[in-house]
Structure formats: C-alpha cells, structure tokens
Amino acid sequence: METKETSGQEKAPAGGRFAALVRAVENLRQSAVIGKINRFLDSRSMLAVFAVLALLSNLLGWEIAVYSVTFLLALYAVVFGRDMLILAPIAAFMYITPSAENNPFINSDSFFFPGKGPGLWLAVGFISFFLILFCLRVGTDGGFARFFGVRRRFLLSFLLLGGALLTGGIGYAGYDWRNLYYAVLFFLAVFLLYFILIATVRWEEVPGDYFAWLGLFLSLTVVVQLCNVFVIHADNIFRDGGIVCNYIYTGWGAYTSMSVVMLFGMPGAFFLAATKKHGFVFNISGSLVYLAIVASQGRGSMLMGAVLYVFCAIAVLRKKQNRRGNLIVYGVILLAVIAVAVLFREKIFELISSLFERGDSSRLKLFRDGLLRFRNHPVFGEGFYACPTDDWNNLGGATFIPAFWHNTIIQMLAGCGVIGLAAYLFHRWQTVRLFFLQPSYEKTFIGFSVLAVLLTCLLDCHLFNIGVTLLYSAALAFAEKTGEMKGGKAVSLPMKA
C-alpha cells in the first residue's frame, strides 16, 4: 500500500502541472484582453487583413513572411481562440497567396518543391505543430468523443465518395498507383475542413453575414491580382486587337482558376447589397467582380456567371430592403450594356467568336475520350491518371496532379466508373436537400457560391484542383450551420431536414 501511494505521488506532479497549465490557459481565454483579440480575429476586419496579406504575398513575393504570420495566427487561435472559425479565411486566402515566381506548374525552382527553398519544410513544420496543439485543444475542450460525435449531415456521403475514389481504376491494365495518393489528397481537401469547422466553431456567435464578407473580400482580392496581371503582362496579353488568355496567370492558377474564385465570392457581394445600409455600393462591387470575370476570359465562369448574376439579381430585388437603390444600379448597368453593345457590336462579336472557338475541339475530344474509357471499364473506371496529359501537366515538374476530363460527370465515370458516379450523385442529393429544406436568405446565397463551382465544373475541372475544393468544403459547413448563426434562423417548412 505504501509503495502504491508513493508511486501515485510521484506521478501526480506531472499530471498536476499539465492540469494547472490547462487551467491557466483557460483563465487567459476569459481575460478581457484575450476577448478583444478574439473578437477582432473573428471579425470582418480580420478578413480585410487576410486580403492584404494575400496581396503582399502574391504581388511582392512575400510568401515566407505571410505564411509565417498566418501560421502564428492559427497557433494563437488553437491555444487562446474561442473557436477555430479562423481556419475558413486561412484556407481561402492562403490558396490565393503564391506569387507568379513560385508557381509550381511553370517554375521548377519554386520553393514549393523539396530542396528549392525553405517554403515547403516551413509549412510542414508549422502544420505539424498546429496539429499537435489542435489535438491537445480538442482533448481538453470536451474530448475526442464529443468532437467525433457531433452530427455532420454530409459525413456519410463524404465517406462513400472517399471510398469510391480509392476504388478508381481497379482492374485497369494501365493502373497508376498514384491514384491512391490523389484519392486521399482530394478526399482530405473536400472533407477535412468541413469536418473540423462543424465541430470546432461556436456557430451561435458567428454573424449570419460572415460568409458573405468572406466571399466579397476574397473576390475583390483576386480582382486586384487580375489587374496586376494585366499591367505586368500587357504587352503579351493585348495583341492584334484581342486578348491572349495564356498570359493571364498568377502563382496559384491561370485565368480559369482566377475566374472561378471570383465567381465563388460574387454572391457574397449581392447578399450584402440586399441586407446592408447603402447596399447599392455592394451591388456595384458584385457587378465589377463579374466584369473582372469577363476580362479574365474564363469561358465557363463567364457563361455560368451570367446565370448566377441573374439569380443573384432576382434574390436581391425580392428583398424590400435597398430595392430602390439596387433597381437604379441594375438599370444603369442595363443601359450601359446596351450602349456598349450598339457602339462596339462588331468588336464584341469578334471577341465572342474567338472566345468560344478557342479550344472547343480539344474539349470535345476529352469528353469523348472519357466516355470511351467508361465504356471500356464501366464499374471502376480507369483511374484519374488515365486522362490524356495536358501540356501544363508537364511544366515545372508538378506532375502529381493528374490531367482531367473537364466535366465532373465524365470525370467520375472515366476515373471511378458507376461506383464513383453513384457516390457523387448521392453527395449531390444531400447537397440539394440541405439547400432546399429549411431555407434561409443566408443559406440561399451560400448555395449560389456552391452552385457557381458546380456549374463551371460542367465545363472545367476546378473541383478536382484541390484549392477550390477547400472553398467548397468551407461553404458546406457554413450552409449546414446557418440556422444556428446570428441572424441566420431558418424558415420553417413542413418537411424536416
């Protein structure tokens, strides 16, 4: 008995010190100073700070400094923050931070490659340390049972989709083992942020307009980046009276990627146009974002953006608040469009003709190839790396990302067969169900952002390019929790979610 007591006393100090440290940290979180800091970190002002950080990195090549500051903010949040809401803007804005000099697809010396600089290992180190602290925070804030036990509407469909991705290409003679790597990478990108946010955010303290502000700042940040691209590449972009879109690129993506991120954020501007004082200012901002999308030459985003613009306008005008100001804005825009169409009709016709003739044959060829591969291997498909290699896929040595068939349905059929398509359609059904059952104004505009990605992916591959996938993942978390957010109370309907 004496020996056991002594042993217990020897072990007690270590456990006691840890418990004391946890209590000390919890007490600090309750302090007035920490409370003010946390309110700022979770505010729209912090979104503006992230926008500035993204621009400093993208325009000036300050990636190391910006990543360091951002990870320090994340470390602060996981230790002293009230929750992990900050992960949403971190994922969104860090995606658009890389400068053109460090684009891994065009520069084999990018510091994102091992041995080319400290960037990759710095990121690995920060992320590893963050995950350790995150696990400690989860363990001391309710425990892992609570974290994993939180209800997540998309859990089943995400798990089925992840399993289907892993089976892609089974039985195909030319199977590439990189399929397993990419399947895990894509699954983590589409699932992990959603999974974490659902359980670690105090949604009752999140303003109902937070996601709209996030989208507005994100889209305007890319607009500034696009303007910078037009300035520095002006001699190559503007040729023979037209626009050479191949020179519209930055460190994190080409013109198509820039256009879809702007389109993703555009509905946020129109939500604010309908709900905020002087809403016409936000209406003008949203319209300028769509103008930037047109200038970016991303055909899919231009076409689907026109559809989304109309949807947003209808939703904005259905709201009585700011209706007169918004009507004036739309009226002026309509008159301006008519005037430009009349005065420059020949030039516009030439631009539109060249725009929609560009690459159509290659895109149709990809569609036929994908359907042929599905016909040859209908159950599990041929895997993601069976797609014919695009030219960009060999640039800079970043060949770990496969080429794509530029259509989500064909992508799933060719890569994962009917198993993959069935899992994807089940996920789509859950998505539709979420947005149409117990709707709210906030959820509708988040739905427009999700729809922007899904529509453009009928003509492109953004959902599979990892970066946009993070935005999609965060959007689903916010949409699922709108009913719990400030000002985001759902409208009751006869059917239950």
Side-chain angles (χ1 to χ4, degrees):
M1 178 68 68
E2 185 175 337
T3 304
K4 290 182 180 179
E5 289 178 356
T6 304
S7 175
Q9 291 172 356
E10 291 175 352
K11 293 180 179 179
R17 286 194 296 269
F18 180 75
L21 178 61
V22 170
R23 287 194 297 271
V25 171
E26 289 177 347
N27 289 334
L28 279 174
R29 290 181 198 144
Q30 304 304 318
S31 69
V33 174
I34 295 297
K36 290 181 180 180
I37 295 174
N38 289 340
R39 284 192 292 274
F40 176 77
L41 292 180
D42 291 340
S43 69
R44 66 190 183 195
S45 298
M46 190 64 210
L47 297 178
V49 171
F50 277 123
V52 172
L53 289 174
L55 289 175
L56 290 174
S57 176
N58 180 263
L59 304 184
L60 303 178
W62 292 5
E63 285 97 336
I64 296 296
V66 169
Y67 291 158
S68 298
V69 170
T70 301
F71 278 118
L72 288 175
L73 288 170
L75 295 180
Y76 168 87
V78 79
V79 176
F80 297 109
R82 66 183 181 186
D83 61 14
M84 296 309 300
L85 177 65
I86 199 171
L87 290 182
I90 284 178
F93 285 100
M94 290 308 100
Y95 168 48
I96 64 171
T97 56
S99 61
E101 302 83 63
N102 284 302
N103 187 322
F105 291 103
I106 64 174
N107 182 11
S108 58
D109 291 325
S110 168
F111 67 35
F112 290 108
F113 292 121
K116 299 297 183 180
L120 178 63
W121 300 119
L122 184 67
V124 171
F126 270 123
I127 292 173
S128 300
F129 190 42
F130 171 82
L131 290 176
I132 293 172
L133 293 179
F134 178 79
C135 290
L136 289 174
R137 177 71 184 265
V138 170
T140 56
D141 279 8
F144 287 94
R146 178 186 174 279
F147 174 75
F148 286 102
V150 172
R151 185 195 179 199
R152 297 169 173 88
R153 292 175 182 264
F154 291 97
L155 179 61
L156 178 59
S157 67
F158 271 136
L159 293 178
L160 290 176
L161 182 61
L165 293 171
L166 289 172
T167 65
I170 291 179
Y172 174 51
Y175 181 80
D176 191 323
W177 287 101
R178 289 180 298 173
N179 279 296
L180 295 177
Y181 161 79
Y182 176 76
V184 172
L185 180 64
F186 177 76
F187 174 73
L188 290 177
V190 76
F191 172 72
L192 193 58
L193 187 58
Y194 162 84
F195 186 82
I196 291 175
L197 289 176
I198 288 292
T200 61
V201 173
R202 297 184 181 181
W203 293 101
E204 69 279 2
E205 299 181 16
V206 179
D209 61 1
Y210 184 87
F211 191 82
W213 283 105
L214 173 60
L216 175 64
F217 280 113
L218 183 68
S219 59
L220 291 180
T221 302
V222 180
V223 170
V224 175
Q225 294 179 355
L226 180 67
C227 292
N228 178 67
V229 170
F230 273 99
V231 170
I232 62 178
H233 293 162
D235 292 340
N236 292 317
I237 292 176
F238 300 104
R239 288 185 180 180
D240 302 324
I243 296 178
V244 182
C245 61
N246 290 336
Y247 287 95
I248 303 176
Y249 67 87
T250 187
W252 53 272
Y255 61 99
T256 53
S257 298
M258 299 181 78
S259 64
V260 77
V261 172
M262 289 187 288
L263 182 57
F264 177 87
M266 186 181 75
F270 291 112
F271 173 85
L272 298 173
T275 59
K276 299 300 176 184
K277 187 177 181 180
H278 306 306
F280 69 92
V281 175
F282 298 104
N283 197 324
I284 294 172
S285 298
S287 299
L288 289 176
V289 170
Y290 182 67
L291 182 62
I293 292 171
V294 174
S296 72
Q297 300 288 286
R299 292 179 299 171
S301 296
M302 289 171 59
L303 177 61
M304 302 308 179
V307 176
L308 261 296
Y309 190 93
V310 173
F311 286 174
C312 287
I314 293 173
V316 166
L317 294 177
R318 288 190 65 183
K319 193 86 168 177
K320 291 183 179 180
Q321 186 176 351
N322 302 325
R323 182 177 291 172
R324 179 179 297 178
N326 287 319
L327 272 172
I328 293 173
V329 171
Y330 288 129
V332 172
I333 290 174
L334 180 60
L335 291 176
V337 170
I338 293 174
V340 171
V342 171
L343 295 175
F344 303 99
R345 57 183 179 276
E346 294 182 1
K347 186 64 177 177
I348 293 174
F349 180 77
E350 292 177 5
L351 287 173
I352 293 176
S353 298
S354 63
L355 184 66
F356 287 94
E357 288 173 1
R358 186 182 71 224
D360 284 341
S361 60
S362 62
R363 188 61 50 87
L364 292 175
K365 183 179 179 181
L366 273 178
F367 292 169
R368 288 193 294 267
D369 177 84
L371 292 175
L372 178 62
R373 292 177 185 276
F374 164 66
R375 189 177 69 179
N376 293 336
H377 296 85
V379 180
F380 298 110
E382 296 187 0
F384 289 103
Y385 290 88
C387 184
T389 304
D390 294 324
D391 292 338
W392 62 266
N393 203 45
N394 286 326
L395 297 175
T399 55
F400 57 88
I401 298 294
F404 299 106
W405 283 279
H406 288 75
N407 176 281
T408 305
I409 302 301
I410 295 176
Q411 181 73 34
M412 297 306 298
L413 286 173
C416 306
V418 293
I419 298 297
L421 182 63
Y424 176 78
L425 291 179
F426 177 64
H427 178 62
R428 281 284 68 82
W429 175 78
Q430 282 201 324
T431 310
V432 171
R433 192 167 182 261
L434 171 68
F435 285 105
F436 281 91
L437 295 182
Q438 295 184 329
S440 68
Y441 205 65
E442 292 81 0
K443 188 189 292 187
T444 296
F445 277 87
I446 297 174
F448 287 158
S449 291
V450 171
L451 186 62
V453 174
L454 299 181
L455 287 178
T456 53
C457 283
L458 296 177
L459 300 172
D460 219 313
C461 54
H462 302 297
L463 195 61
F464 298 94
N465 272 334
I466 305 307
V468 175
T469 316
L470 296 172
L471 304 178
Y472 172 81
S473 182
L476 291 186
F478 276 86
E480 184 172 327
K481 291 296 185 176
T482 49
E484 301 176 21
M485 294 161 61
K486 295 179 182 178
K489 187 176 180 180
V491 178
S492 299
L493 291 178
M495 301 177 68
K496 293 183 179 181

